[in-house]
Amino acid sequence: MSKVIQNGRIVSSDWQIVTVAEGEEAAAVAIPAGRVIVPLAAWLARRDELAARGDVGVWFASNEGPEALAADIARMPVIAVNFPKFVDGRGYSTAVLLRTRYGYTGQLIAFGDVLRQQFNYLSRCGFDTLQPREGRYSDAELDAAVANLNDYTEPYQASVLHPQPMFRRIARAGAKA
Amino acid sequence: MYRYDAYDQKLVDERVAQFRDQMRRHLAGELSDDEFRPVRLQNGLYIQRHAPMYRISIPYGHLASRQLRKLAYLARTYDKGYVHFTTRQNVQFNWSPLEVIPEMCAELAKVEMHSIQTSGNCIRNFTSDPFAGVAGDEHIDPRPWAEILRQWATFHPEFAYLPRKFKIAVNGATEDRAVIQVHDIGLDLKKNEAGEIGFRILVGGGLGRTPIIGREIESFIPWQHIITYCEAILRVYNRYGRRDNSFKARIKILVSALGIDEFRWQVREEWAHIKDGPNTLTVEEVHRVADFFEDPSYENLLADDAGYHHHIAEDLAFASWVKRNVRAHKKPGYASAVLSLKKPGVAPGDITSDQLDLVADWADRFSFGEARVTHEQNLVLADVKQSELFTLWQLARKAGLATPNIGLLTDIICCPGGDFCSLANAKSIPIAAAIQERFDDLDYLHDIGDIEINISGCMNACGHHHVGHIGILGVDKNGEEWYQVTIGGSQGNSAAIGKVIGPSFARAEMADVISEIIETYIEERHEDELFIDTVRRIGLEPFKARVYAERQPHKKVANV
Ligand code: HEM
Ligand code: SF4
């Protein structure tokens, strides 16, 4: 079980993320029993079989967007977004769209190259669960990293976490104050 | 000028704390070079030839005197006693050791400054007209809008890991002095027929490897929607911009690949979802920010100060400074003075701590405590009384900041190049120096008149060489430094990308080459015709013919 930060607390996640090996067909990948998160392609190829299980979530690769899952988003028990490299920022937009356009309110996991310096941005974009790569952080580091969720406590712009921008959220003093 | 409230200050302070911790972890080996890289870049820290290069943000180029003094102090304490102003109105330190950067960062925060997003694949500093608020041809002050957008972009959680860097410029005057046509987004403030304020929006302009003039995506977006519209552009770019090849990752490549019509369609599609949402601007917020940019308490003065005109008539040197370095002001009896950072022998854009302190003093004494940075890498005191220009000039002259060459051939835009930058193909500062040395006769310079020479040490184009009337680009040929010359580029309303005149030149030839180009112009020009106009009229051929006539052409460098 992986250690993750969920809603600001370190917990063990029992969701198993099914990954696709080099050369393997995502649609044909072996899907074990239990709580699993499968690649989008697998879901799309075997939707009826997987939907019937009720314990299957979907993960998006960084070049995939919520559009492809639209009809099923509301019923997902969990959705995850892969960050193959932390510099690949497409997953932030994926999260924002899931939360704001597709009305997804369930658990949303960022996994892969998920680093402390991104925690604040990731959570503001709507990820409630951050799953750094296995072994990336020691327990002590992960403990300390929880604080990074709050790197910026009162940001300017609207986001999933702050639906109103600062200029609507706070009465700010002006030049003449 | 905008002043921080507790919320602005808190964000900057939080950044200092965050960066301090990141640096500590990096030095302790917890944060690898690879992971530290984007962290330090988003905080303006490059690792360069000699030391880290530390870039500090100057939003739309505005500086208060206490900020100037802080820069002077930092350069003295942590660097070699000078700083470098850049073509994006920012300032750079070249020699500060890594470990002291968090300390510098903390010092900056004390005067409402920071280095947030001055580098890295994120939304960079907003640039604008250095004469904003004082120019006669301004219809709308761009600064409140630049500040509002600055706040929107600062620590934007969705757009911190874009495919590539993203630069936005805002203009509000008839003449574009913010080079909006070569920015990822260029915003042009205007009023519609009903007199309402809004923006003409250009997208996909940029220099670098693939120079492109921005294209119009919207002819008028009402001001309320500017944040949501920009957000729509950024989201489309973040999702669909290329990430497989960093040379093809700028938004201009996406816009070119899709075509502007398809790109517009995608942006509007995205915008339809967020338009009128919470990010829609309110009148209250615009007023709150605009209040910071109200006119200072100008005196009511005569349009022409007698003493000032007396000095012009009496003192040729002063007159020639006034002619080149003083600009008309919207307010009678006032003027804007440009302090040249292009003294021959000094690297363009460089200024020492002592000079910075003096500029701060003059800002306090003559110009309501403020100065501005131009993208041509000079400083401006925007609000000086005509009656005080003579005193200012005398002081500036003593300090080496009154070279009367603004807009002249020696007012060269130049990147740090091979002397500092590890990406350079060639040095650029020695080329600027050689040209300045060659053209040391002031009368001749004035006779040549307005001309812009821009120099970059590699195709990243930090020196804007594509839009120089004469552009010089450092190229590498079998490990040797060569220089390619373009003619006919220009910035402003009629922005254009210059054309290569032919095979590149060795460093030692460059001053001669520029002389030959200038001689050709002098021979060919019509009375009162500017260099760029002559080029537009007669084309490249006469220049080429002259430059290559007596020169054994060197083998052409492929595709650079
Ligand atoms: C010395 C360290 C510097 C490094 C490593 C550096 C690096 C780069 C790179 C890689 C690009 C190209 C980006 C792209 O096209 O995607 C670029 C562009 C640019 N840089 Fe620098 N730069 C440095 C210093 C400067 C300085 C000192 C200035 C101002 C004088 C500057 C101004 C610019 C500008 C205006 C561009 C924009 C070109 C465009 O529109 O694409 N840079 N820089
Ligand atoms: S143009 Fe090239 S050499 Fe000059 S500063 Fe930019 S990256 Fe360095």
Side-chain angles (χ1 to χ4, degrees):
Chain A
M1 272 196 261
S2 320
K3 278 205 164 173
V4 302
I5 297 178
Q6 186 173 1
N7 296 318
R9 297 199 353 262
I10 298 173
V11 298
S12 295
S13 170
D14 59 357
W15 284 107
Q16 189 187 344
I17 297 174
V18 177
T19 52
V20 189
E22 191 92 40
E24 205 177 0
E25 268 296 318
V29 77
I31 299 174
R35 284 152 70 84
V36 291
I37 307 177
V38 303
L40 175 66
W43 174 271
L44 294 177
R46 294 150 68 178
R47 183 166 176 272
D48 292 341
E49 167 203 342
L50 296 172
R53 284 177 49 172
D55 58 356
V56 178
V58 164
W59 65 265
F60 292 102
S62 65
N63 62 350
E64 295 167 342
E67 292 84 354
L69 191 65
D72 296 331
I73 286 174
R75 66 153 94 161
M76 284 288 138
V78 64
I79 295 178
V81 179
N82 185 24
F83 288 80
K85 290 196 210 116
F86 64 86
V87 290
D88 183 343
R90 288 176 281 193
Y92 296 88
S93 289
T94 304
V96 169
L97 290 173
L98 282 167
R99 292 297 196 203
T100 59
R101 194 146 312 155
Y102 293 89
Y104 179 67
T105 54
Q107 185 177 6
L108 186 57
I109 302 174
F111 72 102
D113 208 8
V114 169
L115 303 171
R116 285 176 70 168
Q117 48 270 28
Q118 275 98 50
F119 281 9
N120 177 264
Y121 288 173
L122 288 166
S123 70
R124 281 160 62 201
C125 286
F127 289 104
D128 55 14
T129 306
L130 309 175
Q131 182 169 343
R133 219 165 243 145
E134 209 74 46
R136 173 62 189 83
Y137 293 120
S138 67
D139 286 355
E141 280 173 337
L142 204 58
D143 278 338
V146 173
N148 291 115
L149 287 171
N150 297 316
D151 276 348
Y152 307 113
T153 45
E154 202 65 87
Y156 287 124
Q157 55 292 101
S159 65
V160 174
L161 215 57
H162 299 86
Q164 301 294 324
M166 190 186 274
F167 62 82
R168 290 180 188 271
R169 207 161 66 224
I170 291 168
R172 300 180 71 183
K176 284 152 194 146
Chain B
M1 166 165 193
Y2 187 74
R3 293 297 310 263
Y4 284 7
D5 66 5
Y7 297 100
D8 301 296
Q9 189 65 48
K10 182 150 194 232
L11 280 164
V12 169
D13 290 345
E14 284 173 336
R15 166 61 124 212
V16 174
Q18 186 199 40
F19 189 61
R20 222 189 257 288
D21 185 55
Q22 288 162 344
M23 180 69 83
R24 180 192 60 73
R25 285 163 52 214
H26 175 64
L27 296 174
E30 288 175 31
L31 206 55
S32 70
D33 282 347
D34 267 2
E35 281 181 36
F36 187 54
R37 194 168 168 277
V39 166
R40 63 172 166 76
L41 285 181
Q42 301 227 345
N43 212 32
L45 189 54
Y46 285 87
I47 304 294
Q48 283 306 314
R49 290 235 150 144
H50 309 286
M53 183 213 76
Y54 184 38
R55 182 182 296 155
I56 288 151
S57 178
I58 304 177
Y60 33 93
H62 269 238
L63 279 170
S65 54
R66 64 202 182 108
Q67 296 175 324
L68 285 160
R69 291 194 182 93
K70 182 62 81 178
L71 295 177
Y73 165 81
L74 290 176
R76 223 175 253 128
T77 313
Y78 298 107
D79 208 293
K80 292 193 175 178
Y82 69 95
V83 300
H84 175 75
F85 285 105
T86 80
T87 38
R88 297 208 75 255
Q89 299 177 310
N90 287 328
V91 64
Q92 294 186 176
F93 291 85
N94 279 315
W95 308 90
S96 315
L98 201 63
E99 317 76 66
V100 306
I101 306 288
E103 214 42 61
M104 294 174 77
C105 212
E107 284 291 331
L108 289 167
K110 291 184 192 165
V111 291
E112 305 179 9
M113 291 183 86
H114 61 76
S115 51
I116 294 160
Q117 292 167 215
T118 51
S119 178
N121 295 335
C122 50
I123 304 174
R124 303 287 190 86
N125 185 30
F126 283 75
T127 51
S128 189
D129 181 0
F131 299 100
V134 302
D137 69 339
E138 178 174 288
H139 27 271
I140 300 162
D141 190 339
R143 295 170 300 174
W145 304 100
E147 175 58 30
I148 285 166
L149 288 164
R150 179 194 76 81
Q151 298 196 11
W152 160 73
T154 301
F155 302 136
H156 197 300
E158 188 181 343
F159 305 131
Y161 296 92
L162 295 169
R164 202 72 182 79
K165 60 165 113 172
F166 205 91
K167 301 175 177 181
I168 305 180
V170 194
N171 171 53
T174 306
E175 176 64 29
D176 166 26
R177 285 174 291 265
V179 244
I180 60 169
Q181 296 192 50
V182 292
H183 279 76
D184 296 285
I185 292 181
L187 297 175
D188 202 12
L189 277 152
K190 61 187 247 189
K191 288 190 180 148
N192 64 8
E193 300 81 48
E196 293 152 348
I197 293 179
F199 296 84
R200 183 171 75 102
I201 304 181
L202 309 180
V203 69
L207 300 173
R209 225 165 250 266
T210 321
I212 302 182
I213 299 291
R215 269 153 293 182
E216 185 174 290
I217 182 166
E218 296 291 348
S219 60
F220 189 82
I221 292 290
W223 61 268
Q224 293 89 336
H225 304 299
I226 191 59
I227 292 181
T228 53
Y229 198 90
C230 287
E231 199 138 295
I233 293 177
L234 263 299
R235 186 167 294 149
V236 169
Y237 172 53
N238 190 41
R239 299 189 71 196
Y240 304 114
R242 281 182 66 171
R243 290 174 184 267
D244 58 327
N245 177 345
S246 70
F247 296 135
K248 299 202 182 299
R250 295 285 291 267
I251 194 173
K252 60 192 170 190
I253 305 291
L254 178 66
V255 174
S256 301
L258 294 175
I260 184 68
D261 293 326
E262 169 63 18
F263 183 74
R264 181 186 299 113
W265 188 85
Q266 291 195 13
V267 169
R268 285 189 180 166
E269 185 74 3
E270 176 58 38
W271 189 45
H273 292 283
I274 54 180
K275 182 169 181 276
D276 299 317
N279 274 321
T280 307
L281 270 170
T282 60
V283 179
E284 294 73 28
E285 174 65 358
V286 174
H287 282 172
R288 182 186 79 85
V289 177
D291 278 350
F292 287 97
F293 298 97
E294 278 195 352
D295 277 352
S297 41
Y298 293 123
E299 292 170 35
N300 285 320
L301 302 172
L302 292 176
D304 286 304
D305 182 79
Y308 169 58
H309 287 284
H310 171 78
H311 284 302
I312 292 176
E314 291 294 302
D315 192 323
L316 270 179
F318 178 60
S320 103
W321 182 74
V322 167
K323 184 166 170 215
R324 295 311 316 187
N325 298 37
V326 173
R327 277 181 54 102
H329 194 287
K330 66 174 184 187
K331 218 60 194 163
Y334 282 86
S336 300
V338 184
L339 301 170
S340 172
L341 303 186
K342 309 295 176 64
K343 186 173 174 220
V346 179
D350 277 11
I351 184 168
T352 67
S353 289
D354 292 347
Q355 287 173 323
L356 281 168
D357 278 335
L358 289 172
V359 175
D361 292 346
W362 306 335
D364 283 338
R365 184 167 161 197
F366 302 117
S367 197
F368 300 97
E370 285 180 28
R372 290 116 183 259
V373 186
T374 74
H375 80 265
E376 290 93 350
Q377 305 174 282
N378 293 308
L379 292 177
V380 172
L381 296 179
D383 298 292
V384 185
K385 283 190 233 170
Q386 285 180 359
S387 58
E388 295 186 315
L389 283 167
F390 189 71
T391 314
L392 171 62
W393 171 70
Q394 287 176 310
L395 293 168
R397 194 146 94 135
K398 227 182 292 166
L401 292 170
T403 312
N405 64 346
I406 299 306
L408 295 180
L409 187 145
T410 50
D411 185 9
I412 295 171
I413 296 181
C414 181
C415 82
D419 291 298
F420 296 97
C421 174
S422 44
L423 303 179
N425 287 327
K427 293 190 180 183
S428 48
I429 294 170
I431 301 296
I435 296 170
Q436 287 173 332
E437 199 173 310
R438 172 67 56 90
F439 292 86
D440 63 349
D441 178 343
L442 224 96
D443 291 333
Y444 189 40
L445 282 176
H446 280 264
D447 179 42
I448 297 166
D450 287 296
I451 183 167
E452 294 165 13
I453 300 187
N454 295 359
I455 310 176
S456 304
C458 76
M459 63 291 220
N460 286 319
C462 302
H464 284 185
H465 65 276
H466 303 106
V467 291
H469 298 165
I470 300 177
I472 300 174
L473 165 67
V475 292
D476 174 277
K477 205 160 97 174
N478 305 324
E480 279 175 53
E481 300 187 351
W482 291 82
Y483 298 88
Q484 187 187 68
V485 174
T486 51
I487 299 186
S490 74
Q491 53 168 326
N493 291 357
S494 46
I497 307 292
K499 295 203 180 67
V500 178
I501 63 167
S504 49
F505 308 97
R507 186 191 300 174
E509 295 176 283
M510 283 310 296
D512 289 340
V513 169
I514 301 300
S515 294
E516 286 153 12
I517 291 172
I518 297 300
E519 284 158 15
T520 310
Y521 155 65
I522 300 278
E523 283 158 23
E524 297 282 345
R525 73 177 165 189
H526 291 166
E527 204 183 333
D528 286 338
E529 191 178 42
L530 298 180
F531 175 83
I532 185 67
D533 295 326
T534 304
V535 174
R536 285 182 185 138
R537 181 171 55 80
I538 67 176
L540 256 53
E541 276 316 316
F543 297 93
K544 270 188 183 169
R546 175 63 172 270
V547 169
Y548 291 105
E550 292 140 41
R551 208 171 297 275
Q552 187 62 26
H554 297 283
K555 241 175 79 199
K556 188 168 166 58
V557 185
N559 297 325
V560 284

